[in-house]
Amino acid sequence: MRRLAARGAAGDAGEAAAPAADRTDCARGRGRSPWRLIDLCAIWDSGVVLPAADWKGPSSGVAGRRLNKAEVLSSVQKAQFQRLEAARLRGPGSRERGPVLRMAGQQPPPGVLAALLLCLLSLGGAIEIPMDPSIQNELSQPPTITKQSVKDHIVDPRDNILIECEAKGNPAPSFHWTRNSRFFNIAKDPRVSMRRRSGTLVIDFRSGGRPEEYEGEYQCFARNKFGTALSNRIRLQVSKSPLWPKENLDPVVVQEGAPLTLQCNPPPGLPSPVIFWMSSSMEPITQDKRVSQGHNGDLYFSSVMLPDMQTDYSCNARFHFTHTIQQKNAFTLKVLTTRGVAERTPSFMYPQGTASSQMVLRGMDLLLECIASGVPTPDIAWYKKGGDLPSDKAKFENFNKALRITNVSEEDSGEYFCLASNKMGSIRHTISVRVKAAPYWLDEPKNLILAPGEDGRLVCRASGNPKPTVQWMVNGEPLQSAPPNPNREVAGDTIIFRDTQISSRAVYQCNTSNEHGYLLANAFVSVLDVPPRMLSPRNQLIRVILYNRTRLDCPFFGSPIPTLRWFKNGQGSNLDGGNYHVYENGSLEIKMTRKEDQGIYTCVATNILGKAENQVHLEVKDPTRIYRMPEDQVAKRGTTVQLECRVKHDPSLKLTVSWLKDDEPLYVGNRMKKEDESLTIFGVAERDQGSYTCIASTELDQDLAKAYLTVLADQATPTNRLAALPKGRPDRPRDLELTDLAERSVRLTWIPGDDNNSPITDYVVQFEEDQFQPGVWHDHSKFPGSVNSAILHLSPYVNYQFRVIAVNEVGSSHPSLPSERYRTSGAPPESNPADVKGEGTRKNNMEITWTPMNATSAFGPNLRYIVKWRRRETREAWSNVTVWGSRHVVGQTPVYVPYEIRVQAENDFGKGPEPDTVIGYSGEDLPSAPRRFRVRQPNLEMIHLEWDHPEHPNGILTGYTLKYVAFNGTKVGKQIVENFSPNQTKFTMQRADPVSRYRFTLSARTQVGSGEAATEESPAPPNEAYTNNQADIATQGWFIGLMCAIALLVLILLIVCFIKRSRGGKYPVREKKDVPLGPEDPKEEDGSFDYSDEDNKPLQGSQTSLDGTIKQQESDDSLVDYGEGGEGQFNEDGSFIGQYTVKKDKEETEGNESSEATSPVNAIYSLA
């Protein structure tokens, strides 16, 4: 079985119909005169005015040259001449629909030119300003009121007063106010201020003052150099909740069975309070058919019973603004009993008498009430004389004692009567209802934007009862007192402008009023002189699948409205007709794209001020097709199955092949192997049974094919002859026939095929339509296998074609041959697109998307979507655009603000239902730094961190990032990163040591990234301040170097002192000659003698060398040394008379050559 899915997104657009309003104007002009207006409207049908060379309907991008009076008459004559000539050629007896205009030898009667001009004006349309912000900001524009307070503005006396007035314009308007029709000088009142760049008044009572002093009627004026716009007259009232007057209520004595009314009479409040009855112990009073509260707040007893005195009754009034409840002193009942309660016929407690009248305003709710007494309690029924109650608007309340009709209109006027009856009898009360109406719009004036020299009109039509009067004003002043304008003519509810110039710019007000209210509307007249400009990106690339419908868009703007033409590959004539169709908004539709349609398309917009052009590159791609589809298979458990899916596609497009099982994504496990052109299942099991769908898709289209895999268990012994026969899929149904053709249904009948030894269990009916997805089959309905005829319910404006598939336990048959086609009539859409979303793709935009409607929900040609949006907080005027796709990007938005979004479907038959409002958000940005980042250190073991959320999150917070690092002087530890959830605002960390401090950096995150960071450091531990100071100094480089230098100097000094003390003075002879040299003297061997006193004796014992060995201390001098020096001399007694200093110098210079020259001690000594 094969099903083809959607290919490409080609918009559908029907032929542009003539404006309905214009045809209506023509129809209204029909009369008995031979010069009746229908003859001008015949021009419409004959095509004299409509062709592109002469005129096109109103649009934001359509050529529109208006015919002057002489051209209109010549066109009429030409059309009539053509019709007469055609009638002459047809000869006698031929007929033509429509009146014949006889013009030869006749002059038009008076007034015909005015009628012609009026019809002509109805054909013309004003220029629409695109929503493109760059254009909106460049063009001058008179003021427009965008937001204002309600007409009856009731405020809470405890709050500051806010009277709203917002307006837009270019240049930005200035604002001033009137109070009670006099200029309100805001500068003189210190309590009153006006918001910046706004006209909203703020009255502040924080420094005192009474709100009642500011009650009155206010009106806002927004002005720039092009005109003045007015707000409604806003009546400011302060809410009042007066106290209940004190009163002492005596017990109410009543006979059992008698009627009773307990009056509430609440104090008058603004707005009126809500009334309800309770006991003094705040228990609600149970109400039923016998005891109930009337609309006026009174409590009615149709008949008093003995249990009624078991409680008391207190009327309570709840005031809206102050949210307070005031309680009236309670009524107590004393019921006098009798031996039996006598039955009584009904009588009315409210209203009194047999007849009354009531007036209600159109659009309001009508509440009729009848409360009757009697024993037993009467039943109430409602009727309308001469007709039925409006079932769609009427509902019964208060146990049928009240009839409410919502949204009253004029047809609800008449006589209504209520019938109260019990078994003793019945009575009735007649209420005559009169419906009046405050003014309501029939044709509200709209802003008029014209090019210099163009004509236009403002229409202000309203209705009401009594009929409202219309007053025109310009820039807030009555039109009668305004300077005369020869280009302006007032005709009742219409102002006609002819040959407008730049000086004609102004804001006009239409005020229509009667005794029940008023309507005020602003409409500006703006005259623009703008050369053509393109609104779409240049050199767009459009790719489309072969044989699909496509649309090339070329939005443009200019004043006068430019003429648009399309060319292909820079040559040839204007593209329109045949396979091409140019829409009024400038789009070029190619009804069926072919390979030869590929190329460069140029759109050129031209007016008297210049021209602009843009290019669109169109590429035509081959469709994606599955040319070898998977087949239904029956396999035994444990075998291997291969499902083929071979695809042909355009080589320039990326192909993706995926598989579904039972319409869910297939998980390819280790028993399956997915290749480019097949799916192999090894060791088939029972769980593998089901339908397998191969989907081949590119970015432009897709194709799919489905097959069913049946897994057989172990072969069982057949129990009957049929079970022993081989089973197979059923043969396809045949001979499909459509009968009982209706507007929304049809009967489909078919002949079943052979079931191939397996009974048919189901029939699946599929349909295909040739407008949105030609060639793609969709499931329509499913029927039991026992039927071969069924009623199919259809959707409007679908060109249906059906086929039937038979199903048994083995699998599905091949589809039947298609039935003949059947097209249903069109209708407005009955639903709107689903999944409407608003999300920002950048920080300054919002992308509105939705799921486009399919062919069965379009209900008509040229399906499109009206997209509306506005800021949620400001409640500004709705912005709107018509879209043919499934997305629209709103630019120049603030960062992450909520928007109200509505998407409504529309086709050529009308609009869909009012759409639901969806909340979307513009794009996100980086958040600001977390607020109030605090670091606390309760002890030396832990640190507490706390923070608040950023003041400007600029989106949805996804979390927080904390980075911290330990430091001690110049030593810095490794940075640690912690991530927290968006709801976490606290963190506690354990210190690694009690000495180090920590530096913390905290930032918030959105999906855009991390924002601005807040930085704090932990405080120094309170008991470690001195230690930290010492540690800080000890880690400084200069301090370490100084200490090393001092240590080295001390070491050198110690070594020098040690050497000095060790050497002393040495001589070669003893001080006394008579003392023999004994061998026991250790100094004999070298003949030296110690020369020292007691204080300078050399150290005795051993001397430790630097290498750790111990040597016997020896003298460094000998007589031989002195003898060999040649400088010393001995006297006659053998004593040394040489200069010791010479020897000493020699020792100092030659000592390095001795065996101790390598000693570091000697080296240091030599330095000393």
Side-chain angles (χ1 to χ4, degrees), residues 351 400 441 486 1116:
N400 271 24
W441 290 118
D1116 293 330

Side-chain angles (χ1 to χ4, degrees), residues 858-1037:
F859 285 17
N862 200 17
L863 177 65
R864 51 203 180 268
Y865 305 97
I866 302 173
V867 184
K868 297 182 179 180
W869 68 93
R870 69 178 180 187
R871 287 274 297 276
R872 186 181 184 184
E873 300 89 350
T874 59
R875 308 294 294 179
E876 60 189 6
W878 289 94
S879 299
N880 66 85
V881 67
T882 300
V883 179
W884 276 263
S886 60
R887 62 186 290 270
H888 177 69
V889 178
V890 180
Q892 303 301 319
T893 63
V895 175
Y896 198 69
V897 296
Y899 279 81
E900 294 179 337
I901 302 170
R902 295 177 181 175
V903 180
Q904 183 180 26
E906 181 184 25
N907 60 27
D908 285 353
F909 289 94
K911 297 180 180 179
E914 282 297 319
D916 296 331
T917 300
V918 176
I919 303 302
Y921 287 83
S922 56
E924 301 185 12
D925 199 0
L926 300 177
S928 61
R931 295 181 298 166
R932 293 191 286 276
F933 184 28
R934 306 176 293 282
V935 179
R936 295 189 299 106
Q937 183 172 291
N939 52 53
L940 298 179
E941 296 181 355
M942 61 181 59
I943 297 176
H944 293 313
L945 308 179
E946 295 183 6
W947 62 89
D948 293 341
H949 296 302
E951 181 178 2
H952 302 291
N954 293 336
I956 299 176
L957 293 181
T958 59
Y960 293 92
T961 299
L962 175 68
K963 300 178 182 180
Y964 60 93
V965 61
F967 66 92
N968 190 339
T970 59
K971 291 184 177 180
V972 180
K974 182 180 179 181
Q975 179 175 271
I976 300 176
V977 180
E978 300 278 356
N979 291 312
F980 307 122
S981 67
N983 296 325
Q984 183 172 346
T985 57
K986 295 181 180 180
F987 176 66
T988 300
M989 62 161 287
Q990 299 292 330
R991 297 176 59 96
D993 60 79
V995 176
S996 298
R997 296 177 65 192
Y998 291 84
R999 183 176 295 109
F1000 300 93
T1001 302
L1002 179 68
S1003 61
R1005 302 191 309 271
T1006 63
Q1007 65 176 2
V1008 179
S1010 297
E1012 182 182 353
T1015 302
E1016 290 289 340
E1017 292 184 358
S1018 63
N1023 297 328
E1024 298 294 332
Y1026 178 76
T1027 303
N1028 287 349
N1029 187 41
Q1030 296 299 321
D1032 289 343
I1033 296 176
T1035 59
Q1036 300 297 317

Side-chain angles (χ1 to χ4, degrees), residues 731-739 747-753 788-789 802-804 814-820:
D731 293 342
R732 68 173 69 185
R734 56 188 176 85
D735 296 342
L736 273 62
E737 183 181 6
L738 298 178
T739 57
R747 175 176 291 276
L748 176 65
T749 305
W750 63 91
I751 297 177
N788 69 330
S789 180
F802 302 98
R803 71 182 186 183
V804 182
H814 291 294
S816 67
L817 296 178
S819 69
E820 60 182 343

Side-chain angles (χ1 to χ4, degrees), residues 98-303:
V100 177
L101 192 62
R102 295 175 297 275
M103 298 188 62
Q106 296 188 32
Q107 292 295 328
V112 69
L113 295 182
L116 290 173
L117 181 60
L118 182 61
C119 189
L120 178 64
L121 286 175
S122 70
L123 302 180
I127 301 170
E128 294 183 12
I129 303 297
M131 297 304 298
D132 192 326
S134 63
I135 296 181
Q136 293 272 351
N137 296 333
E138 289 179 10
L139 300 180
S140 58
Q141 181 176 319
T144 301
I145 300 292
T146 58
K147 188 178 183 182
Q148 57 184 318
S149 296
V150 295
K151 293 179 181 179
D152 292 316
H153 189 31
I154 302 175
V155 297
D156 191 334
R158 300 170 299 175
D159 298 335
N160 292 336
I161 295 176
L162 201 70
I163 310 177
E164 292 183 314
C165 178
E166 306 285 346
K168 65 180 182 179
N170 191 12
S174 59
F175 299 87
H176 73 271
W177 287 82
T178 61
R179 179 185 176 195
N180 298 329
S181 301
R182 293 187 176 184
F183 175 71
F184 185 36
N185 194 340
I186 299 172
K188 289 187 176 180
D189 194 331
R191 295 192 189 96
V192 183
S193 62
M194 189 182 299
R195 284 184 176 174
R196 186 169 176 262
R197 296 181 180 176
S198 165
T200 298
L201 287 183
V202 180
I203 306 177
D204 193 340
F205 297 103
R206 287 178 296 185
S207 58
R210 297 179 64 251
E212 290 79 4
E213 297 175 358
Y214 291 90
E215 289 185 325
E217 188 177 75
Y218 292 78
Q219 191 167 27
C220 173
F221 293 73
R223 173 179 297 164
N224 67 12
K225 64 180 181 179
F226 302 120
T228 303
L230 278 62
S231 72
N232 289 324
R233 298 187 297 275
I234 303 169
R235 185 173 63 168
L236 178 67
Q237 295 175 285
V238 178
S239 173
K240 298 177 177 61
S241 54
L243 298 176
W244 221 302
K246 294 183 178 180
E247 55 183 345
N248 294 321
L249 301 176
D250 297 328
V252 179
V253 181
V254 61
Q255 192 76 28
E256 185 179 10
L260 174 66
T261 302
L262 298 181
Q263 296 183 345
C264 180
N265 296 328
L270 185 67
S272 300
V274 177
I275 304 300
F276 57 96
W277 286 81
M278 303 184 75
S279 66
S280 57
S281 59
M282 303 305 291
E283 293 292 333
I285 302 299
T286 302
Q287 300 188 27
D288 52 22
K289 185 171 68 171
R290 183 179 63 87
V291 181
S292 63
Q293 175 185 320
H295 182 64
N296 60 0
D298 295 346
L299 189 64
Y300 293 90
F301 294 78
S302 294
S303 58

Side-chain angles (χ1 to χ4, degrees), residues 494-538:
T494 303
I495 301 180
I496 301 173
F497 299 91
R498 298 184 180 89
D499 191 23
T500 54
Q501 301 301 322
I502 298 296
S503 59
S504 302
R505 291 182 291 195
V507 182
Y508 290 82
Q509 290 82 34
C510 174
N511 184 38
T512 175
S513 61
N514 64 12
E515 61 189 66
H516 302 297
Y518 75 94
L519 292 173
L520 178 66
N522 292 274
F524 64 71
V525 175
S526 182
V527 182
L528 297 179
D529 207 357
V530 181
R533 60 185 298 178
M534 294 297 171
L535 304 181
S536 60
R538 303 188 66 83

Side-chain angles (χ1 to χ4, degrees), residues 743-775:
E743 188 174 357
R744 295 290 180 267
S745 66
V746 68
R747 175 176 291 276
L748 176 65
T749 305
W750 63 91
I751 297 177
D754 195 320
D755 63 5
N756 292 325
N757 305 320
S758 178
I760 296 174
T761 58
D762 299 289
Y763 286 104
V764 177
V765 177
Q766 296 182 329
F767 75 94
E768 179 260 354
E769 53 83 26
D770 60 355
Q771 184 175 2
F772 285 86
Q773 294 176 299

